[in-house]
Amino acid sequence: MSLFGKIFGGGGKGGKGPSPQEAIQKLRETEEMLTKKQEFLEKKIEQELQIAKKNGTKNKRAALQALKRKKRYEKQLAQIDGTLSTIEFQREALENANTNTEVLKNMGFAAKAMKSAHENMDIDKVDDLMQDITEQQELAQEISDAISKPVGFGEEFDEDELLAELDELEQEELDKNLLEIGGPENVPLPNVPSTSLPSRPAKKEEDEDDMEDLQRWAMEAI
């Protein structure tokens, strides 16, 4: 059995291979395991480094052993880094392949649906139908135009004559308004009194009466 078969839990030759989703899930689990291993090795490397520093001058043997262990841990860490890179690349490739598979599946499904929708369609019949629709739309537009056109019942009027008549009416109305503003021309006079006024003697007659009285007085005096 191959390495990938062991990782994915595949069966023998006649066994069915894992689905892309199952393989992606297994790779993610492996990534999590290796990441934890990395964190463990990093802590061990730091511990061994502290031991080597602590015993560098006091116990040289212990310091050298700590550095050897540190080197082994670093080698394992480097291997895990390489393995993680390989697994990440494979997981991304599987995810892309899975996405492409889904896309192609949906595109194929849509193509079948479109084929089914067009199965009973004839392009010549479609062209004829569209031509009929265009003709009917043009006919409907002509009918609408004819209905909306004003009907004069055979009577036609000169628009210039109508405008001239309208101007005359407006001028008459304007003159009428000006007369009303200026006031009426003929104002009625008050009636003459019917009763007669008392007569007054004229001044000449009074003077003549006075002269006669004066002459009569003079004669009497003589």
Side-chain angles (χ1 to χ4, degrees):
M1 185 179 295
S2 63
L3 174 62
F4 292 114
K6 293 180 181 179
I7 294 176
F8 300 142
K13 294 181 179 180
K16 184 180 179 181
S19 65
Q21 293 83 356
E22 293 174 346
I24 291 170
Q25 182 61 32
K26 288 291 185 180
L27 288 173
R28 286 176 177 171
E29 292 175 358
T30 303
E31 284 183 88
E32 292 178 1
M33 179 190 67
L34 293 176
T35 300
K36 292 180 179 178
K37 183 68 174 178
Q38 275 183 324
E39 294 174 356
F40 173 77
L41 290 174
E42 288 173 354
K43 290 180 180 179
K44 295 297 292 182
I45 290 171
E46 183 64 24
Q47 290 176 359
E48 296 300 335
L49 181 60
Q50 294 299 327
I51 292 173
K53 289 180 179 180
K54 183 178 180 180
N55 296 291
T57 55
K58 299 179 181 178
N59 190 343
K60 189 174 182 179
R61 182 184 178 86
L64 290 175
Q65 291 296 328
L67 290 177
K68 289 179 181 179
R69 291 192 295 270
K70 173 179 169 295
K71 291 293 184 181
R72 290 198 301 269
Y73 293 148
E74 289 175 347
K75 185 176 180 181
Q76 294 179 29
L77 185 61
Q79 291 175 346
I80 291 175
D81 289 340
T83 304
L84 273 175
S85 297
T86 302
I87 291 176
E88 288 176 357
F89 176 80
Q90 189 176 21
R91 176 178 55 78
E92 291 173 357
L94 274 173
E95 289 175 347
N96 292 333
N98 186 44
T99 301
N100 293 335
T101 300
E102 291 297 323
V103 170
L104 290 174
K105 185 189 297 183
N106 294 332
M107 291 177 66
F109 182 78
K112 290 180 180 179
M114 187 176 296
K115 183 178 180 181
S116 177
H118 294 161
E119 187 174 1
N120 297 325
M121 290 186 181
D122 186 354
I123 186 62
D124 294 331
K125 293 181 179 180
V126 173
D127 290 338
D128 294 339
L129 177 61
M130 295 305 297
Q131 185 175 357
D132 291 341
I133 292 174
T134 302
E135 292 176 356
Q136 292 301 319
Q137 288 178 344
E138 292 177 354
L139 178 60
Q141 185 63 41
E142 292 178 359
I143 294 173
S144 298
D145 294 341
I147 293 174
S148 61
K149 185 181 297 182
V151 178
F153 298 103
E155 296 182 0
E156 296 183 357
F157 302 97
D158 189 351
E159 187 173 354
D160 293 336
E161 292 181 359
L162 295 176
L163 291 174
E165 183 177 352
L166 179 60
D167 291 339
E168 292 179 1
L169 294 175
E170 291 178 350
Q171 186 62 39
E172 291 178 1
E173 186 68 19
L174 180 60
D175 294 341
K176 181 180 179 181
N177 292 334
L178 291 175
L179 290 175
E180 291 178 355
I181 294 174
E185 295 181 354
N186 298 322
V187 180
L189 298 175
N191 296 326
V192 178
S194 58
T195 58
S196 59
L197 297 174
S199 61
R200 180 179 179 184
K203 182 174 180 62
K204 184 177 181 181
E205 295 179 353
E206 290 179 357
D207 293 339
E208 290 179 353
D209 292 340
D210 293 339
M211 182 61 67
E212 291 177 356
D213 291 339
L214 180 61
Q215 289 176 356
R216 190 170 44 251
W217 178 77
M219 291 296 294
E220 290 177 358
I222 293 173

